[in-house]
């Protein structure tokens, strides 16, 4: 964002006043809440964070529908809901595949450990 503003201001036609206003409003929020969010996130498990992202995205979508109810059509609503559902399904499938992979890797480690242990005991 900073590089983009620099480039637009000095290399192109300039940045519009609305964009400067948005930057002035967003900068303090980001400076305060980005580190705070990082600290809070370090105390949660990754699956809890993923669930929070799903919840917040769903709330944002529903809120956008409420705020923009007169400006959106049915197609936009169906596409947005489908994208949210598809994202949920993709990450759900990825998590299940990851769990199967972890079980397979742990099974190989377990078998390898016991095979090595059996070889060591046979020397005794």
């Amino acid at each position: 964002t900073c590089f983009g503003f620099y480039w637009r201001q000095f290399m192109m036609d300039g940045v519009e006043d609305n964009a400067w206003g948005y930057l002035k409003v967003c900068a303090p929020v980001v400076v305060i809440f980005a580190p705070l969010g990082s600290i809070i996130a370090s105390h949660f498990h990754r699956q809890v964070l993923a669930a929070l992202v799903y919840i917040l995205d769903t709330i944002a979508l529903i809120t956008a529908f409420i705020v923009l109810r007169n400006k959106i059509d049915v197609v936009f609503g169906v596409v947005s809901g489908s994208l949210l559902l598809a994202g949920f399904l993709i990450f759900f499938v990825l998590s299940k595949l990851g769990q199967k992979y972890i079980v397979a890797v742990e099974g190989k480690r377990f078998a390898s450990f016991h095979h090595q242990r059996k070889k060591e005991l046979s020397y005794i």
Side-chain angles (χ1 to χ4, degrees), residues 100-115:
K100 286 183 180 182
Y101 177 74
I102 288 173
V103 168
V105 168
E106 290 298 320
K108 287 180 184 177
R109 279 191 196 157
F110 183 77
S112 174
F113 172 76
H114 283 290
H115 178 71

Side-chain angles (χ1 to χ4, degrees), residues 19-106:
W20 282 112
Y22 292 140
L23 182 65
K24 289 176 188 174
V25 169
C26 293
V29 173
V30 170
V31 167
I32 292 170
F33 289 106
L36 183 63
S38 176
I39 291 169
I40 291 171
S42 68
H43 296 287
F44 289 121
H45 190 269
R46 63 180 177 80
Q47 290 178 333
V48 173
L49 292 174
L52 288 174
V53 168
Y54 290 135
I55 292 167
L56 291 174
D57 281 349
T58 305
I59 291 171
L61 180 65
I62 292 169
T63 305
F65 285 155
I66 292 170
V67 170
L68 302 172
R69 70 181 139 211
N70 295 331
K71 298 184 191 234
I72 58 174
D73 58 352
V74 175
V75 174
F76 180 73
V78 170
V79 168
S80 299
S82 298
L83 286 173
L84 184 68
L85 182 64
F88 174 76
L89 290 174
I90 287 170
F91 285 107
F92 180 77
V93 168
L94 285 175
S95 72
K96 293 300 176 188
L97 289 173
Q99 288 174 352
K100 286 183 180 182
Y101 177 74
I102 288 173
V103 168
V105 168
E106 290 298 320

